[in-house]
Tab-separated table of all heavy atoms in Angstrom:
chain	number	residue	atom	x	y	z
A	5	TYR	N	56.765	34.521	-72.996
A	5	TYR	CA	57.650	35.023	-74.044
A	5	TYR	C	57.741	36.528	-73.888
A	5	TYR	O	56.730	37.204	-73.708
A	5	TYR	CB	57.036	34.664	-75.413
A	5	TYR	CG	57.800	35.107	-76.629
A	5	TYR	CD1	58.572	34.206	-77.352
A	5	TYR	CD2	57.716	36.422	-77.099
A	5	TYR	CE1	59.250	34.610	-78.504
A	5	TYR	CE2	58.384	36.822	-78.240
A	5	TYR	CZ	59.155	35.919	-78.936
A	5	TYR	OH	59.827	36.320	-80.065
A	7	ALA	N	59.916	39.769	-75.820
A	7	ALA	CA	60.889	40.292	-76.782
A	7	ALA	C	61.399	41.631	-76.258
A	7	ALA	O	60.825	42.686	-76.528
A	7	ALA	CB	60.254	40.448	-78.156
A	10	LYS	N	62.007	44.674	-78.561
A	10	LYS	CA	60.823	45.434	-78.963
A	10	LYS	C	60.456	46.452	-77.887
A	10	LYS	O	60.073	47.591	-78.181
A	10	LYS	CB	59.644	44.502	-79.210
A	10	LYS	CG	59.669	43.738	-80.519
A	10	LYS	CD	58.366	42.990	-80.710
A	10	LYS	CE	58.320	42.285	-82.052
A	10	LYS	NZ	59.325	41.212	-82.162
A	14	ARG	N	61.039	49.695	-79.866
A	14	ARG	CA	59.779	50.234	-80.374
A	14	ARG	C	59.083	51.162	-79.385
A	14	ARG	O	58.369	52.063	-79.782
A	14	ARG	CB	58.838	49.089	-80.750
A	14	ARG	CG	59.257	48.364	-82.018
A	14	ARG	CD	58.266	47.289	-82.371
A	14	ARG	NE	58.559	46.698	-83.673
A	14	ARG	CZ	58.045	47.100	-84.824
A	14	ARG	NH1	57.211	48.124	-84.830
A	14	ARG	NH2	58.353	46.501	-85.956
A	60	ALA	N	55.169	48.340	-70.401
A	60	ALA	CA	55.098	48.194	-71.850
A	60	ALA	C	53.650	48.059	-72.304
A	60	ALA	O	53.257	48.626	-73.326
A	60	ALA	CB	55.911	46.975	-72.293
A	61	LYS	N	52.849	47.322	-71.555
A	61	LYS	CA	51.426	47.185	-71.881
A	61	LYS	C	50.755	48.549	-71.942
A	61	LYS	O	50.041	48.865	-72.905
A	61	LYS	CB	50.708	46.344	-70.811
A	61	LYS	CG	50.985	44.880	-70.831
A	61	LYS	CD	50.103	44.234	-69.763
A	61	LYS	CE	50.451	42.797	-69.540
A	61	LYS	NZ	49.577	42.180	-68.518
A	64	VAL	N	51.885	50.598	-74.985
A	64	VAL	CA	51.279	50.149	-76.242
A	64	VAL	C	49.846	50.641	-76.351
A	64	VAL	O	49.414	51.153	-77.389
A	64	VAL	CB	51.339	48.616	-76.345
A	64	VAL	CG1	50.501	48.124	-77.523
A	64	VAL	CG2	52.769	48.132	-76.496
A	65	GLU	N	49.077	50.497	-75.279
A	65	GLU	CA	47.674	50.922	-75.297
A	65	GLU	C	47.564	52.430	-75.496
A	65	GLU	O	46.678	52.912	-76.213
A	65	GLU	CB	46.999	50.514	-73.980
A	65	GLU	CG	46.855	49.022	-73.770
A	65	GLU	CD	45.801	48.405	-74.661
A	65	GLU	OE1	45.010	49.158	-75.266
A	65	GLU	OE2	45.760	47.163	-74.772
A	68	PHE	N	49.591	53.267	-79.353
A	68	PHE	CA	49.289	52.606	-80.623
A	68	PHE	C	47.847	52.125	-80.752
A	68	PHE	O	47.445	51.684	-81.826
A	68	PHE	CB	50.248	51.425	-80.828
A	68	PHE	CG	51.697	51.818	-80.801
A	68	PHE	CD1	52.493	51.537	-79.704
A	68	PHE	CD2	52.259	52.499	-81.865
A	68	PHE	CE1	53.828	51.897	-79.675
A	68	PHE	CE2	53.593	52.865	-81.852
A	68	PHE	CZ	54.381	52.577	-80.751
A	69	PHE	N	47.081	52.155	-79.672
A	69	PHE	CA	45.679	51.738	-79.720
A	69	PHE	C	45.522	50.399	-80.460
A	69	PHE	O	44.907	50.332	-81.531
A	69	PHE	CB	44.810	52.801	-80.397
A	69	PHE	CG	44.970	54.170	-79.811
A	69	PHE	CD1	45.775	55.125	-80.440
A	69	PHE	CD2	44.349	54.500	-78.616
A	69	PHE	CE1	45.935	56.392	-79.884
A	69	PHE	CE2	44.497	55.769	-78.061
A	69	PHE	CZ	45.303	56.704	-78.693
A	70	PRO	N	46.096	49.324	-79.933
A	70	PRO	CA	46.086	48.041	-80.643
A	70	PRO	C	44.672	47.537	-80.915
A	70	PRO	O	43.774	47.677	-80.086
A	70	PRO	CB	46.830	47.109	-79.680
A	70	PRO	CG	46.682	47.752	-78.339
A	70	PRO	CD	46.705	49.216	-78.591
A	71	ALA	N	44.476	46.963	-82.084
A	71	ALA	CA	43.186	46.400	-82.476
A	71	ALA	C	43.147	44.926	-82.105
A	71	ALA	O	44.188	44.253	-82.095
A	71	ALA	CB	42.981	46.561	-83.977
A	72	PRO	N	41.967	44.383	-81.791
A	72	PRO	CA	41.869	42.934	-81.588
A	72	PRO	C	42.324	42.209	-82.853
A	72	PRO	O	42.092	42.689	-83.969
A	72	PRO	CB	40.373	42.720	-81.329
A	72	PRO	CG	39.871	44.047	-80.850
A	72	PRO	CD	40.681	45.075	-81.581
A	73	PHE	N	42.967	41.065	-82.699
A	73	PHE	CA	43.486	40.368	-83.875
A	73	PHE	C	42.367	39.901	-84.803
A	73	PHE	O	42.620	39.568	-85.965
A	73	PHE	CB	44.355	39.178	-83.453
A	73	PHE	CG	43.581	37.953	-83.036
A	73	PHE	CD1	43.314	36.935	-83.947
A	73	PHE	CD2	43.115	37.827	-81.738
A	73	PHE	CE1	42.608	35.809	-83.561
A	73	PHE	CE2	42.402	36.700	-81.349
A	73	PHE	CZ	42.150	35.685	-82.262
A	78	LEU	N	43.800	43.864	-91.475
A	78	LEU	CA	44.946	44.353	-90.704
A	78	LEU	C	46.115	44.639	-91.643
A	78	LEU	O	46.297	43.970	-92.653
A	78	LEU	CB	45.359	43.313	-89.663
A	78	LEU	CG	44.340	43.041	-88.545
A	78	LEU	CD1	44.766	41.826	-87.735
A	78	LEU	CD2	44.185	44.256	-87.644
A	79	GLN	N	46.910	45.644	-91.274
A	79	GLN	CA	48.034	46.056	-92.102
A	79	GLN	C	49.360	45.681	-91.450
A	79	GLN	O	49.458	45.601	-90.227
A	79	GLN	CB	47.991	47.573	-92.333
A	79	GLN	CG	46.697	48.073	-92.965
A	79	GLN	CD	46.445	47.477	-94.331
A	79	GLN	OE1	47.328	47.487	-95.193
A	79	GLN	NE2	45.237	46.956	-94.546
A	80	ALA	N	50.378	45.464	-92.279
A	80	ALA	CA	51.713	45.186	-91.764
A	80	ALA	C	52.165	46.330	-90.856
A	80	ALA	O	51.907	47.497	-91.136
A	80	ALA	CB	52.698	45.008	-92.912
A	81	ASN	N	52.806	45.986	-89.757
A	81	ASN	CA	53.324	46.938	-88.782
A	81	ASN	C	52.249	47.455	-87.824
A	81	ASN	O	52.512	48.315	-86.992
A	81	ASN	CB	54.004	48.131	-89.462
A	81	ASN	CG	55.214	48.624	-88.687
A	81	ASN	OD1	56.120	47.853	-88.375
A	81	ASN	ND2	55.235	49.900	-88.368
A	82	GLN	N	51.023	46.932	-87.905
A	82	GLN	CA	49.935	47.356	-87.017
A	82	GLN	C	49.976	46.556	-85.724
A	82	GLN	O	50.228	45.351	-85.721
A	82	GLN	CB	48.587	47.150	-87.711
A	82	GLN	CG	47.388	47.668	-86.914
A	82	GLN	CD	46.093	47.581	-87.715
A	82	GLN	OE1	46.104	47.280	-88.904
A	82	GLN	NE2	44.976	47.847	-87.060
A	83	TRP	N	49.701	47.224	-84.609
A	83	TRP	CA	49.670	46.569	-83.306
A	83	TRP	C	48.324	45.888	-83.099
A	83	TRP	O	47.277	46.434	-83.438
A	83	TRP	CB	49.895	47.583	-82.181
A	83	TRP	CG	51.319	48.018	-82.035
A	83	TRP	CD1	51.941	49.038	-82.708
A	83	TRP	CD2	52.308	47.463	-81.166
A	83	TRP	NE1	53.255	49.142	-82.310
A	83	TRP	CE2	53.506	48.199	-81.365
A	83	TRP	CE3	52.302	46.428	-80.234
A	83	TRP	CZ2	54.674	47.916	-80.667
A	83	TRP	CZ3	53.473	46.142	-79.537
A	83	TRP	CH2	54.638	46.888	-79.752
A	84	ILE	N	48.371	44.681	-82.522
A	84	ILE	CA	47.157	43.938	-82.218
A	84	ILE	C	47.238	43.373	-80.804
A	84	ILE	O	48.318	43.254	-80.221
A	84	ILE	CB	46.921	42.774	-83.208
A	84	ILE	CG1	48.136	41.834	-83.217
A	84	ILE	CG2	46.603	43.290	-84.597
A	84	ILE	CD1	47.922	40.562	-84.017
A	85	SER	N	46.076	43.034	-80.268
A	85	SER	CA	46.006	42.334	-78.995
A	85	SER	C	45.382	40.966	-79.243
A	85	SER	O	44.632	40.776	-80.208
A	85	SER	CB	45.160	43.119	-77.980
A	85	SER	OG	43.835	43.295	-78.472
A	86	PHE	N	45.684	40.002	-78.400
A	86	PHE	CA	45.129	38.664	-78.548
A	86	PHE	C	44.871	38.055	-77.165
A	86	PHE	O	45.543	38.379	-76.184
A	86	PHE	CB	46.074	37.755	-79.349
A	86	PHE	CG	47.441	37.592	-78.735
A	86	PHE	CD1	47.713	36.557	-77.853
A	86	PHE	CD2	48.468	38.489	-79.041
A	86	PHE	CE1	48.970	36.408	-77.283
A	86	PHE	CE2	49.730	38.351	-78.468
A	86	PHE	CZ	49.976	37.314	-77.593
A	87	ASP	N	43.880	37.198	-77.109
A	87	ASP	CA	43.527	36.477	-75.885
A	87	ASP	C	42.725	35.250	-76.318
A	87	ASP	O	41.530	35.345	-76.586
A	87	ASP	CB	42.707	37.374	-74.950
A	87	ASP	CG	42.429	36.711	-73.597
A	87	ASP	OD1	42.523	35.471	-73.502
A	87	ASP	OD2	42.099	37.438	-72.632
A	90	MET	N	45.955	28.770	-77.257
A	90	MET	CA	46.995	28.623	-78.276
A	90	MET	C	47.915	27.454	-77.960
A	90	MET	O	48.132	27.096	-76.795
A	90	MET	CB	47.825	29.908	-78.391
A	90	MET	CG	47.034	31.170	-78.684
A	90	MET	SD	48.067	32.605	-79.065
A	90	MET	CE	48.495	32.264	-80.781
A	109	PHE	N	53.428	30.257	-81.759
A	109	PHE	CA	52.195	30.187	-80.973
A	109	PHE	C	51.047	30.181	-81.972
A	109	PHE	O	50.947	31.079	-82.811
A	109	PHE	CB	52.078	31.387	-80.029
A	109	PHE	CG	53.192	31.489	-79.028
A	109	PHE	CD1	54.331	32.238	-79.313
A	109	PHE	CD2	53.114	30.836	-77.807
A	109	PHE	CE1	55.364	32.336	-78.400
A	109	PHE	CE2	54.149	30.931	-76.881
A	109	PHE	CZ	55.272	31.676	-77.176
A	126	LEU	N	45.577	32.506	-86.049
A	126	LEU	CA	46.588	33.451	-85.580
A	126	LEU	C	47.869	32.671	-85.345
A	126	LEU	O	47.852	31.641	-84.651
A	126	LEU	CB	46.151	34.136	-84.287
A	126	LEU	CG	47.199	35.042	-83.622
A	126	LEU	CD1	47.522	36.241	-84.502
A	126	LEU	CD2	46.713	35.515	-82.241
A	127	MET	N	48.969	33.115	-85.927
A	127	MET	CA	50.261	32.485	-85.687
A	127	MET	C	51.278	33.551	-85.308
A	127	MET	O	51.588	34.445	-86.102
A	127	MET	CB	50.742	31.697	-86.903
A	127	MET	CG	52.041	30.934	-86.637
A	127	MET	SD	52.379	29.615	-87.839
A	127	MET	CE	52.758	30.585	-89.308
A	128	LEU	N	51.774	33.460	-84.096
A	128	LEU	CA	52.811	34.359	-83.593
A	128	LEU	C	54.153	33.656	-83.752
A	128	LEU	O	54.278	32.459	-83.474
A	128	LEU	CB	52.570	34.692	-82.123
A	128	LEU	CG	51.176	35.204	-81.752
A	128	LEU	CD1	51.070	35.378	-80.244
A	128	LEU	CD2	50.876	36.513	-82.477
A	129	CYS	N	55.174	34.382	-84.185
A	129	CYS	CA	56.468	33.762	-84.428
A	129	CYS	C	57.599	34.684	-83.988
A	129	CYS	O	57.542	35.899	-84.147
A	129	CYS	CB	56.615	33.404	-85.901
A	129	CYS	SG	56.155	34.735	-87.038
A	130	GLY	N	58.613	34.070	-83.412
A	130	GLY	CA	59.770	34.824	-82.944
A	130	GLY	C	60.910	33.883	-82.613
A	130	GLY	O	60.885	32.693	-82.966
A	163	GLU	N	65.469	44.178	-85.578
A	163	GLU	CA	65.124	44.839	-84.321
A	163	GLU	C	66.332	44.950	-83.404
A	163	GLU	O	66.490	45.937	-82.691
A	163	GLU	CB	63.986	44.080	-83.638
A	163	GLU	CG	62.658	44.218	-84.379
A	163	GLU	CD	61.532	43.473	-83.703
A	163	GLU	OE1	61.812	42.594	-82.871
A	163	GLU	OE2	60.364	43.772	-84.007
A	170	ILE	N	58.383	47.330	-89.976
A	170	ILE	CA	58.176	46.228	-90.903
A	170	ILE	C	57.626	46.793	-92.207
A	170	ILE	O	56.594	47.473	-92.205
A	170	ILE	CB	57.191	45.200	-90.312
A	170	ILE	CG1	57.789	44.598	-89.034
A	170	ILE	CG2	56.864	44.099	-91.327
A	170	ILE	CD1	56.807	43.787	-88.227
A	211	ARG	N	47.637	35.455	-73.782
A	211	ARG	CA	47.262	36.801	-74.226
A	211	ARG	C	48.490	37.680	-74.304
A	211	ARG	O	49.551	37.347	-73.763
A	211	ARG	CB	46.230	37.413	-73.265
A	211	ARG	CG	46.783	37.734	-71.877
A	211	ARG	CD	45.687	38.221	-70.956
A	211	ARG	NE	46.199	38.444	-69.603
A	211	ARG	CZ	45.427	38.629	-68.538
A	211	ARG	NH1	44.105	38.614	-68.660
A	211	ARG	NH2	45.970	38.821	-67.349
A	212	GLY	N	48.341	38.819	-74.990
A	212	GLY	CA	49.462	39.734	-75.099
A	212	GLY	C	49.259	40.719	-76.239
A	212	GLY	O	48.139	40.921	-76.724
A	213	HIS	N	50.357	41.331	-76.666
A	213	HIS	CA	50.355	42.267	-77.793
A	213	HIS	C	51.366	41.797	-78.827
A	213	HIS	O	52.385	41.188	-78.480
A	213	HIS	CB	50.722	43.678	-77.328
A	213	HIS	CG	49.648	44.358	-76.531
A	213	HIS	ND1	49.739	44.524	-75.172
A	213	HIS	CD2	48.461	44.897	-76.902
A	213	HIS	CE1	48.645	45.150	-74.730
A	213	HIS	NE2	47.859	45.385	-75.764
A	214	ALA	N	51.065	42.085	-80.092
A	214	ALA	CA	51.949	41.677	-81.181
A	214	ALA	C	51.864	42.684	-82.318
A	214	ALA	O	51.012	43.583	-82.306
A	214	ALA	CB	51.570	40.276	-81.667
A	215	ILE	N	52.749	42.524	-83.299
A	215	ILE	CA	52.801	43.409	-84.461
A	215	ILE	C	52.579	42.572	-85.708
A	215	ILE	O	53.229	41.535	-85.904
A	215	ILE	CB	54.158	44.130	-84.529
A	215	ILE	CG1	54.380	44.937	-83.241
A	215	ILE	CG2	54.232	45.052	-85.742
A	215	ILE	CD1	55.804	45.396	-83.062
A	216	VAL	N	51.681	43.011	-86.560
A	216	VAL	CA	51.286	42.245	-87.738
A	216	VAL	C	52.411	42.186	-88.769
A	216	VAL	O	53.022	43.203	-89.101
A	216	VAL	CB	50.025	42.864	-88.383
A	216	VAL	CG1	49.680	42.145	-89.697
A	216	VAL	CG2	48.845	42.796	-87.424
A	217	LEU	N	52.669	40.983	-89.262
A	217	LEU	CA	53.558	40.797	-90.403
A	217	LEU	C	52.750	40.646	-91.689
A	217	LEU	O	53.131	41.161	-92.734
A	217	LEU	CB	54.425	39.546	-90.203
A	217	LEU	CG	55.445	39.574	-89.064
A	217	LEU	CD1	56.092	38.211	-88.912
A	217	LEU	CD2	56.501	40.637	-89.311
A	218	MET	N	51.608	39.934	-91.587
A	218	MET	CA	50.816	39.652	-92.781
A	218	MET	C	49.393	39.274	-92.367
A	218	MET	O	49.187	38.582	-91.371
A	218	MET	CB	51.460	38.500	-93.558
A	218	MET	CG	50.684	38.021	-94.771
A	218	MET	SD	51.547	36.647	-95.605
A	218	MET	CE	51.441	35.367	-94.341
A	230	VAL	N	46.352	35.472	-89.693
A	230	VAL	CA	47.127	36.641	-89.282
A	230	VAL	C	48.469	36.148	-88.753
A	230	VAL	O	48.517	35.340	-87.813
A	230	VAL	CB	46.390	37.445	-88.194
A	230	VAL	CG1	47.274	38.590	-87.681
A	230	VAL	CG2	45.073	37.996	-88.732
A	231	LEU	N	49.538	36.598	-89.377
A	231	LEU	CA	50.897	36.271	-88.963
A	231	LEU	C	51.470	37.498	-88.264
A	231	LEU	O	51.413	38.606	-88.800
A	231	LEU	CB	51.738	35.904	-90.181
A	231	LEU	CG	53.177	35.444	-89.932
A	231	LEU	CD1	53.184	34.085	-89.260
A	231	LEU	CD2	53.949	35.389	-91.256
A	232	ALA	N	52.014	37.317	-87.059
A	232	ALA	CA	52.485	38.468	-86.281
A	232	ALA	C	53.698	38.090	-85.445
A	232	ALA	O	53.960	36.910	-85.185
A	232	ALA	CB	51.366	38.987	-85.376
A	233	THR	N	54.444	39.109	-85.027
A	233	THR	CA	55.586	38.924	-84.142
A	233	THR	C	55.232	39.502	-82.771
A	233	THR	O	54.848	40.672	-82.669
A	233	THR	CB	56.852	39.593	-84.730
A	233	THR	OG1	57.921	39.518	-83.779
A	233	THR	CG2	56.613	41.049	-85.080
A	234	PRO	N	55.306	38.702	-81.708
A	234	PRO	CA	54.810	39.146	-80.395
A	234	PRO	C	55.769	40.044	-79.628
A	234	PRO	O	56.988	39.893	-79.711
A	234	PRO	CB	54.589	37.826	-79.642
A	234	PRO	CG	55.589	36.898	-80.235
A	234	PRO	CD	55.732	37.300	-81.686
A	235	LEU	N	55.183	40.978	-78.889
A	235	LEU	CA	55.943	41.771	-77.919
A	235	LEU	C	56.146	40.952	-76.650
A	235	LEU	O	57.237	40.852	-76.106
A	235	LEU	CB	55.195	43.063	-77.588
A	235	LEU	CG	55.812	43.949	-76.506
A	235	LEU	CD1	57.096	44.587	-77.020
A	235	LEU	CD2	54.835	45.028	-76.044
A	236	TYR	N	55.051	40.354	-76.189
A	236	TYR	CA	55.111	39.454	-75.036
A	236	TYR	C	53.904	38.520	-75.120
A	236	TYR	O	52.911	38.793	-75.789
A	236	TYR	CB	55.069	40.229	-73.707
A	236	TYR	CG	53.740	40.877	-73.441
A	236	TYR	CD1	52.751	40.225	-72.702
A	236	TYR	CD2	53.440	42.140	-73.967
A	236	TYR	CE1	51.503	40.815	-72.503
A	236	TYR	CE2	52.211	42.729	-73.766
A	236	TYR	CZ	51.251	42.061	-73.026
A	236	TYR	OH	50.017	42.638	-72.840
A	237	VAL	N	54.035	37.389	-74.448
A	237	VAL	CA	52.941	36.431	-74.328
A	237	VAL	C	52.876	36.021	-72.861
A	237	VAL	O	53.903	35.682	-72.262
A	237	VAL	CB	53.175	35.178	-75.198
A	237	VAL	CG1	52.030	34.179	-75.022
A	237	VAL	CG2	53.340	35.561	-76.661
Side-chain angles (χ1 to χ4, degrees):
Y5 180 102
K10 283 187 176 65
R14 287 182 173 268
K61 287 184 189 181
V64 170
E65 293 288 347
F68 303 105
F69 307 100
F73 79 95
L78 294 170
Q79 303 299 310
N81 216 54
Q82 185 174 352
W83 284 87
I84 57 172
S85 60
F86 59 91
D87 186 340
M90 304 189 79
F109 299 92
L126 174 65
M127 185 162 70
L128 308 175
C129 48
E163 290 180 342
I170 297 169
R211 68 185 176 193
H213 288 106
I215 302 166
V216 175
L217 294 173
M218 175 180 66
V230 175
L231 184 69
T233 174
L235 175 70
Y236 69 93
V237 179

